[in-house]
Amino acid sequence: QVHLVESGGGLVQAGGSLRLSCTTSGRTSRTYAIGWFRQPPGKERDFLAAVRWSGGDTYVEDHVKGRFTISRDTAKNTVYLEMNSLKPEDTAVYYCAAHDGLQYTIFESLGYKDWGQGTQVTVSS
């Protein structure tokens, strides 16, 4: 099992920036990828970005590409989500999760077996 802890959320004005961190521990050697998702109030949880743990290939959804960047620091077992030009519609609980690489693509939440507790991001207008 991989243990994940998100941090870095908070309240920010529109146009501002935040950097979320996802610190991992446990059986990280079996981690195929780490992904970021978000769940706005009353809506479903959506995929945002992912990074392959080995190799560092990154994937960012089109609707946040250019504003959001994912990166990893393997020495710190941490994955970051840099968010710029934030908008009120970015308000959500943000989660990171570990993909086991066995089934499903990295874009599918079912492939992620371990999840963090989430961190709230609120963007005021």
Side-chain angles (χ1 to χ4, degrees), residues 94-110:
Y94 285 69
Y95 299 90
C96 63
H99 196 288
D100 61 8
L102 297 178
Q103 283 183 292
Y104 308 101
T105 70
I106 60 171
F107 309 105
E108 299 172 284
S109 62
L110 287 174

Side-chain angles (χ1 to χ4, degrees), residues 59-74:
Y59 305 86
V60 180
E61 275 291 275
D62 286 344
H63 65 90
V64 295
K65 192 174 291 183
R67 297 194 300 124
F68 290 13
T69 304
I70 188 170
S71 63
R72 84 195 196 300
D73 184 334
T74 54

Side-chain angles (χ1 to χ4, degrees), residues 6-20:
E6 303 95 338
S7 61
L11 174 64
V12 64
Q13 288 188 332
S17 299
L18 283 174
R19 187 178 77 160
L20 305 183

Side-chain angles (χ1 to χ4, degrees), residues 37-87:
F37 294 75
R38 70 182 178 189
Q39 187 166 17
K43 297 184 179 181
E44 294 183 352
R45 188 160 52 190
D46 291 328
F47 172 81
L48 292 173
V51 57
R52 294 189 198 276
W53 198 246
S54 176
D57 297 339
T58 61
Y59 305 86
V60 180
E61 275 291 275
D62 286 344
H63 65 90
V64 295
K65 192 174 291 183
R67 297 194 300 124
F68 290 13
T69 304
I70 188 170
S71 63
R72 84 195 196 300
D73 184 334
T74 54
K76 296 182 178 180
N77 284 334
T78 299
V79 174
Y80 303 99
L81 184 69
E82 185 79 35
M83 306 186 295
N84 299 310
S85 303
L86 285 163
K87 307 173 183 180

